Amino acid sequence: MAKAIPKISSRRNLRTGSRRNLRIGSRKRLAEEVIGVIYVQASFNNTIVTVTDGGGQVLSCLSTGTFGFKARRKATPFAAQTVTANALRTVRDQGLKQAKVRIKGPGPGRDGALRAIRYGRIRLTTIEDITPLPHNGCRPPKKRRV
């Protein structure tokens, strides 16, 4: 009689520790690989700044809304500059030395966030615009009949 094959594809068998241990491990790795990626998503209503390490683990994520700005003040360059400076301060304390910048969106927070990144003590390797552009766009509405 053949032996039963143990089931190894269950979720419980794959995870070997808590998610917290994975995050702490990525912070230790950050000292070795000192390059990170700063993502700035600037919409017309809000600006979101996310800083990741080389492996893609999120080190800091802030938006103007969670930082305390309300309503129309969320979409200002000053709010984006303040939030970006605060996000960079936390990752600089963790040991981030240089970073790539990827900016997405048409909002007014683009310039303020980029200004704060330039004033921060992190060396920039590249600045890249990743705003999605349509190749052909949406289908236009049908012609109006009167």
Side-chain angles (χ1 to χ4, degrees):
M1 189 180 244
K3 286 185 181 178
I5 299 172
K7 187 176 180 183
I8 59 167
S9 64
S10 70
R11 193 172 161 196
R12 188 176 6 188
N13 291 338
L14 292 177
R15 188 175 297 155
T16 58
S18 68
R19 293 179 192 269
R20 183 174 179 166
N21 289 338
L22 291 175
R23 279 201 187 143
I24 292 170
S26 68
R27 286 188 185 140
K28 288 179 185 172
R29 241 183 313 137
L30 184 62
E32 298 165 8
E33 49 180 81
V34 291
I35 195 160
V37 184
I38 302 169
Y39 294 95
V40 178
Q41 182 179 351
S43 67
F44 289 114
N45 296 321
N46 202 356
T47 303
I48 301 169
V49 178
T50 306
V51 184
T52 64
D53 63 356
Q57 296 288 327
V58 175
L59 302 174
S60 175
C61 181
L62 285 176
S63 72
T64 54
T66 60
F67 199 68
F69 293 97
K70 304 271 185 190
R72 291 186 318 210
R73 292 195 60 204
K74 288 196 307 185
T76 59
F78 173 74
Q81 186 173 353
T82 307
V83 168
T84 307
N86 199 354
L88 291 180
R89 188 178 306 125
T90 60
V91 297
R92 197 174 52 230
D93 294 341
Q94 294 176 11
L96 189 72
K97 301 289 183 200
Q98 62 182 15
K100 302 176 190 175
V101 178
R102 294 185 177 168
I103 300 177
K104 178 180 181 181
R110 290 170 62 105
D111 298 331
L114 191 58
R115 190 176 300 126
I117 293 169
R118 295 288 291 174
Y119 289 152
R121 285 176 270 158
I122 293 177
R123 204 174 107 223
L124 300 181
T125 57
T126 59
I127 299 173
E128 187 179 358
D129 187 12
I130 57 169
T131 304
L133 295 173
H135 292 285
N136 200 7
C138 299
R139 182 175 175 170
K142 65 180 183 178
K143 203 167 191 179
R144 185 170 175 244
R145 290 188 293 237
V146 180

PDB file of all heavy atoms in Angstrom, residues 130-144:
ATOM      1  N   ILE A 130       6.281  58.631 -14.183  1.00  0.00           N
ATOM      2  CA  ILE A 130       5.581  57.400 -14.551  1.00  0.00           C
ATOM      3  C   ILE A 130       4.085  57.634 -14.685  1.00  0.00           C
ATOM      4  O   ILE A 130       3.289  56.725 -14.467  1.00  0.00           O
ATOM      5  CB  ILE A 130       5.876  56.271 -13.543  1.00  0.00           C
ATOM      6  CG1 ILE A 130       5.500  56.682 -12.122  1.00  0.00           C
ATOM      7  CG2 ILE A 130       7.313  55.836 -13.615  1.00  0.00           C
ATOM      8  CD1 ILE A 130       5.519  55.527 -11.153  1.00  0.00           C
ATOM      9  N   THR A 131       3.691  58.849 -15.069  1.00  0.00           N
ATOM     10  CA  THR A 131       2.281  59.157 -15.258  1.00  0.00           C
ATOM     11  C   THR A 131       1.736  58.336 -16.422  1.00  0.00           C
ATOM     12  O   THR A 131       2.316  58.359 -17.506  1.00  0.00           O
ATOM     13  CB  THR A 131       2.097  60.651 -15.555  1.00  0.00           C
ATOM     14  OG1 THR A 131       2.695  61.406 -14.501  1.00  0.00           O
ATOM     15  CG2 THR A 131       0.627  61.011 -15.655  1.00  0.00           C
ATOM     16  N   PRO A 132       0.641  57.599 -16.221  1.00  0.00           N
ATOM     17  CA  PRO A 132       0.112  56.784 -17.318  1.00  0.00           C
ATOM     18  C   PRO A 132      -0.529  57.664 -18.387  1.00  0.00           C
ATOM     19  O   PRO A 132      -1.322  58.553 -18.087  1.00  0.00           O
ATOM     20  CB  PRO A 132      -0.933  55.893 -16.634  1.00  0.00           C
ATOM     21  CG  PRO A 132      -1.306  56.604 -15.395  1.00  0.00           C
ATOM     22  CD  PRO A 132      -0.110  57.404 -14.979  1.00  0.00           C
ATOM     23  N   LEU A 133      -0.154  57.423 -19.633  1.00  0.00           N
ATOM     24  CA  LEU A 133      -0.708  58.169 -20.755  1.00  0.00           C
ATOM     25  C   LEU A 133      -1.422  57.198 -21.686  1.00  0.00           C
ATOM     26  O   LEU A 133      -0.864  56.154 -22.030  1.00  0.00           O
ATOM     27  CB  LEU A 133       0.404  58.895 -21.525  1.00  0.00           C
ATOM     28  CG  LEU A 133       1.131  59.992 -20.765  1.00  0.00           C
ATOM     29  CD1 LEU A 133       2.305  60.494 -21.574  1.00  0.00           C
ATOM     30  CD2 LEU A 133       0.185  61.126 -20.445  1.00  0.00           C
ATOM     31  N   PRO A 134      -2.641  57.535 -22.131  1.00  0.00           N
ATOM     32  CA  PRO A 134      -3.353  56.629 -23.035  1.00  0.00           C
ATOM     33  C   PRO A 134      -2.734  56.671 -24.433  1.00  0.00           C
ATOM     34  O   PRO A 134      -2.355  57.732 -24.919  1.00  0.00           O
ATOM     35  CB  PRO A 134      -4.779  57.176 -23.041  1.00  0.00           C
ATOM     36  CG  PRO A 134      -4.632  58.606 -22.710  1.00  0.00           C
ATOM     37  CD  PRO A 134      -3.455  58.706 -21.791  1.00  0.00           C
ATOM     38  N   HIS A 135      -2.650  55.520 -25.085  1.00  0.00           N
ATOM     39  CA  HIS A 135      -2.130  55.467 -26.447  1.00  0.00           C
ATOM     40  C   HIS A 135      -3.191  55.905 -27.442  1.00  0.00           C
ATOM     41  O   HIS A 135      -2.905  56.597 -28.403  1.00  0.00           O
ATOM     42  CB  HIS A 135      -1.637  54.061 -26.775  1.00  0.00           C
ATOM     43  CG  HIS A 135      -0.424  53.682 -26.007  1.00  0.00           C
ATOM     44  ND1 HIS A 135       0.824  54.175 -26.300  1.00  0.00           N
ATOM     45  CD2 HIS A 135      -0.252  52.872 -24.932  1.00  0.00           C
ATOM     46  CE1 HIS A 135       1.713  53.684 -25.473  1.00  0.00           C
ATOM     47  NE2 HIS A 135       1.088  52.893 -24.622  1.00  0.00           N
ATOM     48  N   ASN A 136      -4.410  55.468 -27.219  1.00  0.00           N
ATOM     49  CA  ASN A 136      -5.483  55.844 -28.134  1.00  0.00           C
ATOM     50  C   ASN A 136      -6.668  56.433 -27.384  1.00  0.00           C
ATOM     51  O   ASN A 136      -7.534  57.049 -27.970  1.00  0.00           O
ATOM     52  CB  ASN A 136      -5.920  54.629 -28.957  1.00  0.00           C
ATOM     53  CG  ASN A 136      -6.638  55.034 -30.207  1.00  0.00           C
ATOM     54  OD1 ASN A 136      -6.701  56.219 -30.520  1.00  0.00           O
ATOM     55  ND2 ASN A 136      -7.185  54.082 -30.924  1.00  0.00           N
ATOM     56  N   GLY A 137      -6.742  56.253 -26.100  1.00  0.00           N
ATOM     57  CA  GLY A 137      -7.807  56.842 -25.307  1.00  0.00           C
ATOM     58  C   GLY A 137      -9.087  56.039 -25.333  1.00  0.00           C
ATOM     59  O   GLY A 137      -9.184  54.971 -25.936  1.00  0.00           O
ATOM     60  N   CYS A 138     -10.110  56.593 -24.677  1.00  0.00           N
ATOM     61  CA  CYS A 138     -11.409  55.953 -24.623  1.00  0.00           C
ATOM     62  C   CYS A 138     -12.161  56.209 -25.932  1.00  0.00           C
ATOM     63  O   CYS A 138     -11.878  57.149 -26.665  1.00  0.00           O
ATOM     64  CB  CYS A 138     -12.227  56.504 -23.450  1.00  0.00           C
ATOM     65  SG  CYS A 138     -11.453  56.223 -21.862  1.00  0.00           S
ATOM     66  N   ARG A 139     -13.148  55.378 -26.176  1.00  0.00           N
ATOM     67  CA  ARG A 139     -13.986  55.569 -27.361  1.00  0.00           C
ATOM     68  C   ARG A 139     -14.859  56.795 -27.148  1.00  0.00           C
ATOM     69  O   ARG A 139     -15.504  56.927 -26.109  1.00  0.00           O
ATOM     70  CB  ARG A 139     -14.839  54.332 -27.569  1.00  0.00           C
ATOM     71  CG  ARG A 139     -15.707  54.401 -28.779  1.00  0.00           C
ATOM     72  CD  ARG A 139     -16.424  53.086 -28.965  1.00  0.00           C
ATOM     73  NE  ARG A 139     -17.357  53.181 -30.068  1.00  0.00           N
ATOM     74  CZ  ARG A 139     -17.981  52.161 -30.579  1.00  0.00           C
ATOM     75  NH1 ARG A 139     -17.788  50.954 -30.079  1.00  0.00           N
ATOM     76  NH2 ARG A 139     -18.811  52.310 -31.587  1.00  0.00           N
ATOM     77  N   PRO A 140     -14.912  57.723 -28.115  1.00  0.00           N
ATOM     78  CA  PRO A 140     -15.720  58.925 -27.938  1.00  0.00           C
ATOM     79  C   PRO A 140     -17.208  58.588 -27.994  1.00  0.00           C
ATOM     80  O   PRO A 140     -17.600  57.568 -28.559  1.00  0.00           O
ATOM     81  CB  PRO A 140     -15.300  59.814 -29.116  1.00  0.00           C
ATOM     82  CG  PRO A 140     -14.753  58.896 -30.118  1.00  0.00           C
ATOM     83  CD  PRO A 140     -14.171  57.741 -29.372  1.00  0.00           C
ATOM     84  N   PRO A 141     -18.051  59.456 -27.401  1.00  0.00           N
ATOM     85  CA  PRO A 141     -19.491  59.191 -27.449  1.00  0.00           C
ATOM     86  C   PRO A 141     -20.023  59.282 -28.874  1.00  0.00           C
ATOM     87  O   PRO A 141     -19.440  59.947 -29.727  1.00  0.00           O
ATOM     88  CB  PRO A 141     -20.082  60.281 -26.556  1.00  0.00           C
ATOM     89  CG  PRO A 141     -19.063  61.338 -26.495  1.00  0.00           C
ATOM     90  CD  PRO A 141     -17.743  60.672 -26.661  1.00  0.00           C
ATOM     91  N   LYS A 142     -21.156  58.619 -29.097  1.00  0.00           N
ATOM     92  CA  LYS A 142     -21.707  58.633 -30.461  1.00  0.00           C
ATOM     93  C   LYS A 142     -22.215  60.021 -30.821  1.00  0.00           C
ATOM     94  O   LYS A 142     -22.488  60.858 -29.946  1.00  0.00           O
ATOM     95  CB  LYS A 142     -22.821  57.598 -30.593  1.00  0.00           C
ATOM     96  CG  LYS A 142     -24.047  57.875 -29.731  1.00  0.00           C
ATOM     97  CD  LYS A 142     -25.060  56.785 -29.953  1.00  0.00           C
ATOM     98  CE  LYS A 142     -26.337  57.087 -29.157  1.00  0.00           C
ATOM     99  NZ  LYS A 142     -27.336  56.070 -29.385  1.00  0.00           N
ATOM    100  N   LYS A 143     -22.334  60.284 -32.104  1.00  0.00           N
ATOM    101  CA  LYS A 143     -22.693  61.598 -32.597  1.00  0.00           C
ATOM    102  C   LYS A 143     -24.113  61.965 -32.192  1.00  0.00           C
ATOM    103  O   LYS A 143     -25.018  61.114 -32.198  1.00  0.00           O
ATOM    104  CB  LYS A 143     -22.554  61.624 -34.117  1.00  0.00           C
ATOM    105  CG  LYS A 143     -22.361  62.976 -34.686  1.00  0.00           C
ATOM    106  CD  LYS A 143     -21.911  62.877 -36.128  1.00  0.00           C
ATOM    107  CE  LYS A 143     -21.455  64.231 -36.590  1.00  0.00           C
ATOM    108  NZ  LYS A 143     -20.980  64.162 -37.981  1.00  0.00           N
ATOM    109  N   ARG A 144     -24.315  63.215 -31.836  1.00  0.00           N
ATOM    110  CA  ARG A 144     -25.633  63.680 -31.367  1.00  0.00           C
ATOM    111  C   ARG A 144     -26.552  63.871 -32.548  1.00  0.00           C
ATOM    112  O   ARG A 144     -26.194  64.469 -33.561  1.00  0.00           O
ATOM    113  CB  ARG A 144     -25.447  65.002 -30.620  1.00  0.00           C
ATOM    114  CG  ARG A 144     -26.701  65.514 -29.992  1.00  0.00           C
ATOM    115  CD  ARG A 144     -26.387  66.673 -29.075  1.00  0.00           C
ATOM    116  NE  ARG A 144     -27.636  67.203 -28.575  1.00  0.00           N
ATOM    117  CZ  ARG A 144     -28.088  68.405 -28.829  1.00  0.00           C
ATOM    118  NH1 ARG A 144     -27.363  69.233 -29.566  1.00  0.00           N
ATOM    119  NH2 ARG A 144     -29.215  68.818 -28.341  1.00  0.00           N
TER     120      ARG A 144
END
